[in-house]
PDB file of all heavy atoms in Angstrom:
ATOM      1  N   HIS A 865     177.664  66.400 322.055  1.00 95.00           N
ATOM      2  CA  HIS A 865     177.358  67.820 322.301  1.00 95.00           C
ATOM      3  C   HIS A 865     176.909  68.075 323.733  1.00 95.00           C
ATOM      4  O   HIS A 865     176.842  69.229 324.175  1.00 95.00           O
ATOM      5  CB  HIS A 865     176.258  68.290 321.336  1.00 95.00           C
ATOM      6  CG  HIS A 865     174.920  67.681 321.617  1.00 95.00           C
ATOM      7  ND1 HIS A 865     174.549  66.439 321.138  1.00 95.00           N
ATOM      8  CD2 HIS A 865     173.860  68.132 322.345  1.00 95.00           C
ATOM      9  CE1 HIS A 865     173.325  66.151 321.546  1.00 95.00           C
ATOM     10  NE2 HIS A 865     172.889  67.161 322.274  1.00 95.00           N
ATOM     11  N   ARG A 866     176.602  67.023 324.483  1.00 97.00           N
ATOM     12  CA  ARG A 866     176.162  67.198 325.873  1.00 97.00           C
ATOM     13  C   ARG A 866     177.329  67.425 326.833  1.00 97.00           C
ATOM     14  O   ARG A 866     177.114  67.747 328.005  1.00 97.00           O
ATOM     15  CB  ARG A 866     175.334  65.983 326.316  1.00 97.00           C
ATOM     16  CG  ARG A 866     174.011  65.848 325.563  1.00 97.00           C
ATOM     17  CD  ARG A 866     173.335  64.518 325.855  1.00 97.00           C
ATOM     18  NE  ARG A 866     174.115  63.390 325.326  1.00 97.00           N
ATOM     19  CZ  ARG A 866     173.755  62.103 325.448  1.00 97.00           C
ATOM     20  NH1 ARG A 866     172.634  61.803 326.100  1.00 97.00           N
ATOM     21  NH2 ARG A 866     174.513  61.153 324.925  1.00 97.00           N
ATOM     22  N   LEU A 867     178.540  67.269 326.339  1.00 97.00           N
ATOM     23  CA  LEU A 867     179.723  67.631 327.114  1.00 97.00           C
ATOM     24  C   LEU A 867     180.296  68.911 326.529  1.00 97.00           C
ATOM     25  O   LEU A 867     180.652  68.954 325.355  1.00 97.00           O
ATOM     26  CB  LEU A 867     180.780  66.526 327.054  1.00 97.00           C
ATOM     27  CG  LEU A 867     180.559  65.278 327.899  1.00 97.00           C
ATOM     28  CD1 LEU A 867     181.777  64.366 327.796  1.00 97.00           C
ATOM     29  CD2 LEU A 867     180.289  65.611 329.357  1.00 97.00           C
ATOM     30  N   SER A 868     180.409  69.937 327.327  1.00 96.00           N
ATOM     31  CA  SER A 868     180.891  71.229 326.851  1.00 96.00           C
ATOM     32  C   SER A 868     182.360  71.428 327.229  1.00 96.00           C
ATOM     33  O   SER A 868     182.782  71.131 328.349  1.00 96.00           O
ATOM     34  CB  SER A 868     180.070  72.356 327.459  1.00 96.00           C
ATOM     35  OG  SER A 868     180.619  73.618 327.102  1.00 96.00           O
ATOM     36  N   ARG A 869     183.117  71.934 326.253  1.00 93.00           N
ATOM     37  CA  ARG A 869     184.506  72.316 326.522  1.00 93.00           C
ATOM     38  C   ARG A 869     184.605  73.766 326.997  1.00 93.00           C
ATOM     39  O   ARG A 869     185.697  74.244 327.295  1.00 93.00           O
ATOM     40  CB  ARG A 869     185.355  72.141 325.268  1.00 93.00           C
ATOM     41  CG  ARG A 869     185.576  70.689 324.878  1.00 93.00           C
ATOM     42  CD  ARG A 869     186.551  70.596 323.717  1.00 93.00           C
ATOM     43  NE  ARG A 869     187.913  70.937 324.126  1.00 93.00           N
ATOM     44  CZ  ARG A 869     188.823  71.475 323.323  1.00 93.00           C
ATOM     45  NH1 ARG A 869     188.523  71.767 322.060  1.00 93.00           N
ATOM     46  NH2 ARG A 869     190.032  71.729 323.750  1.00 93.00           N
ATOM     47  N   ASN A 870     183.492  74.461 327.068  1.00 91.00           N
ATOM     48  CA  ASN A 870     183.502  75.850 327.521  1.00 91.00           C
ATOM     49  C   ASN A 870     183.566  75.893 329.048  1.00 91.00           C
ATOM     50  O   ASN A 870     182.658  76.369 329.724  1.00 91.00           O
ATOM     51  CB  ASN A 870     182.257  76.587 327.014  1.00 91.00           C
ATOM     52  CG  ASN A 870     182.293  76.817 325.523  1.00 91.00           C
ATOM     53  OD1 ASN A 870     183.357  77.002 324.949  1.00 91.00           O
ATOM     54  ND2 ASN A 870     181.136  76.799 324.881  1.00 91.00           N
ATOM     55  N   THR A 871     184.679  75.411 329.577  1.00 87.00           N
ATOM     56  CA  THR A 871     184.784  75.283 331.026  1.00 87.00           C
ATOM     57  C   THR A 871     184.875  76.633 331.729  1.00 87.00           C
ATOM     58  O   THR A 871     184.635  76.725 332.929  1.00 87.00           O
ATOM     59  CB  THR A 871     186.012  74.424 331.385  1.00 87.00           C
ATOM     60  OG1 THR A 871     187.180  74.975 330.754  1.00 87.00           O
ATOM     61  CG2 THR A 871     185.818  72.996 330.883  1.00 87.00           C
ATOM     62  N   GLY A 872     185.210  77.690 330.990  1.00 83.00           N
ATOM     63  CA  GLY A 872     185.229  79.021 331.580  1.00 83.00           C
ATOM     64  C   GLY A 872     183.853  79.638 331.683  1.00 83.00           C
ATOM     65  O   GLY A 872     183.677  80.661 332.356  1.00 83.00           O
ATOM     66  N   ARG A 873     182.861  79.027 331.030  1.00 89.00           N
ATOM     67  CA  ARG A 873     181.493  79.570 331.040  1.00 89.00           C
ATOM     68  C   ARG A 873     180.574  78.779 331.963  1.00 89.00           C
ATOM     69  O   ARG A 873     179.405  79.132 332.117  1.00 89.00           O
ATOM     70  CB  ARG A 873     180.915  79.555 329.626  1.00 89.00           C
ATOM     71  CG  ARG A 873     181.725  80.351 328.613  1.00 89.00           C
ATOM     72  CD  ARG A 873     181.059  80.343 327.254  1.00 89.00           C
ATOM     73  NE  ARG A 873     181.831  81.094 326.272  1.00 89.00           N
ATOM     74  CZ  ARG A 873     181.415  81.374 325.049  1.00 89.00           C
ATOM     75  NH1 ARG A 873     180.227  80.935 324.650  1.00 89.00           N
ATOM     76  NH2 ARG A 873     182.168  82.065 324.207  1.00 89.00           N
ATOM     77  N   HIS A 874     181.062  77.691 332.518  1.00 91.00           N
ATOM     78  CA  HIS A 874     180.256  76.840 333.383  1.00 91.00           C
ATOM     79  C   HIS A 874     180.966  76.667 334.718  1.00 91.00           C
ATOM     80  O   HIS A 874     182.190  76.864 334.813  1.00 91.00           O
ATOM     81  CB  HIS A 874     180.046  75.462 332.730  1.00 91.00           C
ATOM     82  CG  HIS A 874     179.357  75.513 331.403  1.00 91.00           C
ATOM     83  ND1 HIS A 874     178.058  75.943 331.252  1.00 91.00           N
ATOM     84  CD2 HIS A 874     179.790  75.186 330.156  1.00 91.00           C
ATOM     85  CE1 HIS A 874     177.710  75.871 329.978  1.00 91.00           C
ATOM     86  NE2 HIS A 874     178.748  75.422 329.290  1.00 91.00           N
ATOM     87  N   PRO A 875     180.236  76.284 335.770  1.00 91.00           N
ATOM     88  CA  PRO A 875     180.867  76.093 337.097  1.00 91.00           C
ATOM     89  C   PRO A 875     181.665  74.794 337.166  1.00 91.00           C
ATOM     90  O   PRO A 875     181.385  73.891 337.960  1.00 91.00           O
ATOM     91  CB  PRO A 875     179.650  76.069 338.034  1.00 91.00           C
ATOM     92  CG  PRO A 875     178.530  75.556 337.194  1.00 91.00           C
ATOM     93  CD  PRO A 875     178.761  76.113 335.816  1.00 91.00           C
ATOM     94  N   THR A 876     182.680  74.717 336.318  1.00 92.00           N
ATOM     95  CA  THR A 876     183.503  73.517 336.216  1.00 92.00           C
ATOM     96  C   THR A 876     184.528  73.481 337.341  1.00 92.00           C
ATOM     97  O   THR A 876     185.042  74.522 337.759  1.00 92.00           O
ATOM     98  CB  THR A 876     184.245  73.516 334.862  1.00 92.00           C
ATOM     99  OG1 THR A 876     183.333  73.849 333.828  1.00 92.00           O
ATOM    100  CG2 THR A 876     184.854  72.159 334.578  1.00 92.00           C
ATOM    101  N   SER A 877     184.840  72.286 337.825  1.00 92.00           N
ATOM    102  CA  SER A 877     185.882  72.137 338.834  1.00 92.00           C
ATOM    103  C   SER A 877     187.225  72.591 338.278  1.00 92.00           C
ATOM    104  O   SER A 877     187.484  72.508 337.085  1.00 92.00           O
ATOM    105  CB  SER A 877     185.975  70.674 339.278  1.00 92.00           C
ATOM    106  OG  SER A 877     184.811  70.284 339.969  1.00 92.00           O
ATOM    107  N   ARG A 878     188.084  73.056 339.169  1.00 88.00           N
ATOM    108  CA  ARG A 878     189.409  73.524 338.775  1.00 88.00           C
ATOM    109  C   ARG A 878     190.393  72.357 338.760  1.00 88.00           C
ATOM    110  O   ARG A 878     190.327  71.475 339.602  1.00 88.00           O
ATOM    111  CB  ARG A 878     189.907  74.570 339.768  1.00 88.00           C
ATOM    112  CG  ARG A 878     189.001  75.780 339.961  1.00 88.00           C
ATOM    113  CD  ARG A 878     189.358  76.481 341.263  1.00 88.00           C
ATOM    114  NE  ARG A 878     189.228  75.563 342.403  1.00 88.00           N
ATOM    115  CZ  ARG A 878     189.826  75.728 343.581  1.00 88.00           C
ATOM    116  NH1 ARG A 878     190.607  76.791 343.775  1.00 88.00           N
ATOM    117  NH2 ARG A 878     189.649  74.857 344.560  1.00 88.00           N
ATOM    118  N   ILE A 879     191.314  72.384 337.801  1.00 84.00           N
ATOM    119  CA  ILE A 879     192.405  71.417 337.822  1.00 84.00           C
ATOM    120  C   ILE A 879     193.367  71.764 338.948  1.00 84.00           C
ATOM    121  O   ILE A 879     193.790  70.921 339.725  1.00 84.00           O
ATOM    122  CB  ILE A 879     193.153  71.405 336.479  1.00 84.00           C
ATOM    123  CG1 ILE A 879     192.253  70.833 335.375  1.00 84.00           C
ATOM    124  CG2 ILE A 879     194.441  70.583 336.594  1.00 84.00           C
ATOM    125  CD1 ILE A 879     192.891  70.873 334.001  1.00 84.00           C
TER     126      ILE A 879
END
Side-chain angles (χ1 to χ4, degrees):
H865 69 276
R866 294 170 294 180
L867 284 185
S868 174
R869 290 186 71 209
N870 290 327
T871 54
R873 301 183 180 188
H874 300 295
T876 314
S877 293
R878 303 161 302 159
I879 292 176

